[in-house]
Amino acid sequence: MITGAAKIAGVVGWPVAHSLSPLIHNAWIEALGLDAVYIPFAVAPDAFDSFLDGLRGTNVCGLNVTLPHKLRAHDLADELGVAAMTSRAANTLVFRPDRTIHADNTDGDGLRWALMQGHERNWKAQQRPVVLLGAGGAARGAIDALAERGASEVRVVARRLAAAEQLAAGWNGFVTAHDFDRLNVACEGAAAVVNATSAGLNGLGDLPEISAAPNDAVFMDMVYRPLKTSFLRRAVAHGHPTVDGLEMLIGQAAQSFFAFFGVFPPQHVDVRTLCLRALGEA
Ligand code: NDP
């Protein structure tokens, strides 16, 4: 039931119609019987600043932020959580009663969740290197999660070496930068290879073949549209265990849900199946 005292949360993007977040959050809200609702907001880039400003001091308690607004959301917030600071991008905004906006980034939590829930419960890198493809916002947010999962080193491989080098700066050797030409060399000995590029999204763009990763290396793709990307299909063909991007999406949503409503989502709700149906993958 939604009363006049309902808490309102939502996702803001441009476009936003493809977002699975309303499906996920509203399933959890319903299961918990919360007086709340989660709404998609389609907001063009030139309207984003005034949109956010207009929500200060209203009954909107929080927003997820998707493309192309993640950087601007980070810049406009009054206060940044550690993950938003590290990634320089925000996917979760909490509107406080004093009209201030707190920004954070739960993508790293989502990645950690996906690696822990994926092919092996509580998976750890066991002090082996992890290869991270891409040097955008999602890659920046992934590094803490990979450190927490026991990576000895994060090898960032990007088509623009300068972007990878920028990401590696300040990590004291824990993050190293590599050119795409050296992708297979970077994969030697890796415990996992994580695709944080948008290559493969909607079947567009592709990544080079990887043949040098050890057989037990986990291949994880952040892209979940399609669910079985060519990156993951090739990994399966090479005999690697795989984790898809939907696990990460659900993991980041769970942390955002807690930030908005102060409770964790109920475990018994099978939001993965709901999402698979919406993606036409069930
Ligand atoms: P950004 O636009 O910030 O970064 C994209 C990165 O991908 C850049 O490094 C870009 O390189 C690189 N890239 C794009 N196309 C190619 C290509 N064909 N070959 C090599 N590199 C390429 O996006 P985000 O970091 O925010 O997101 C990356 C992906 O992760 C997206 O597909 C997004 O949907 C997904 N994602 C999934 C989440 C989940 O919950 N599953 C959460 C967050 C993101 P360059 O700078 O040279 O253009």
Side-chain angles (χ1 to χ4, degrees):
M1 187 180 61
I2 302 168
T3 73
K7 281 186 161 189
I8 299 173
V11 54
V12 55
W14 184 258
V16 78
H18 64 283
S19 175
L20 295 174
S21 297
L23 194 67
I24 297 172
H25 284 264
N26 284 315
W28 288 334
I29 287 171
E30 197 183 319
L32 288 172
L34 298 183
D35 185 10
V37 65
Y38 186 99
I39 301 169
F41 294 101
V43 177
D46 62 353
F48 185 68
D49 292 18
S50 53
F51 171 76
L52 270 203
D53 216 32
L55 294 180
R56 291 175 189 271
T58 69
N59 55 347
V60 171
C61 62
L63 283 182
N64 281 124
V65 183
T66 187
L67 296 176
H69 301 310
K70 287 184 174 187
L71 301 182
R72 191 68 190 141
H74 164 278
D75 293 347
L76 290 175
D78 302 294
E79 196 182 286
L80 298 174
V82 174
M85 233 182 274
T86 315
S87 60
R88 299 194 295 275
N91 78 335
T92 303
L93 301 177
V94 172
F95 294 84
R96 297 231 174 94
D98 66 0
R99 301 173 69 96
T100 58
I101 301 175
H102 176 86
D104 219 331
N105 198 321
T106 63
D107 285 341
D109 294 312
L111 174 63
R112 195 166 59 231
W113 166 265
L115 289 171
M116 288 170 70
Q117 299 296 314
H119 91 104
E120 178 188 315
R121 284 287 143 115
N122 210 19
W123 176 89
K124 286 210 167 112
Q126 311 281 11
Q127 292 307 308
R128 284 163 56 190
V130 171
V131 172
L132 185 60
L133 303 178
R140 283 198 296 272
I143 292 172
D144 275 336
L146 296 174
E148 191 275 340
R149 284 293 87 201
S152 59
E153 174 191 352
V154 177
R155 298 174 178 163
V156 176
V157 184
R159 62 182 175 186
R160 286 186 303 115
L161 185 61
E165 283 170 346
Q166 206 178 10
L167 211 164
W171 281 95
N172 244 344
F174 176 65
V175 181
T176 53
H178 307 261
D179 210 295
F180 245 101
D181 298 345
R182 307 268 298 159
L183 174 58
N184 269 294
V185 177
C187 287
E188 284 170 8
V193 182
V194 177
N195 177 30
T197 77
S198 38
L201 182 63
N202 297 322
L204 299 172
D206 207 357
L207 295 165
E209 181 93 25
I210 297 172
S211 53
N215 285 343
D216 65 344
V218 177
F219 276 55
M220 148 93 206
D221 202 335
M222 293 193 186
V223 172
Y224 57 87
R225 227 179 259 271
L227 195 67
K228 296 185 182 79
T229 56
S230 59
F231 173 78
L232 291 186
R233 278 191 275 109
R234 282 204 302 248
V236 169
H238 280 281
H240 293 288
T242 59
V243 179
D244 63 56
L246 195 49
E247 284 302 330
M248 177 171 167
L249 183 80
I250 294 167
Q252 63 78 31
Q255 288 298 325
S256 297
F257 190 87
F258 181 77
F260 301 151
F261 304 115
V263 279
F264 277 110
Q267 301 248 331
H268 68 275
V269 184
D270 186 1
V271 286
R272 184 173 167 90
T273 298
L274 286 178
C275 292
L276 288 175
R277 276 196 207 115
L279 290 169
E281 301 264 7

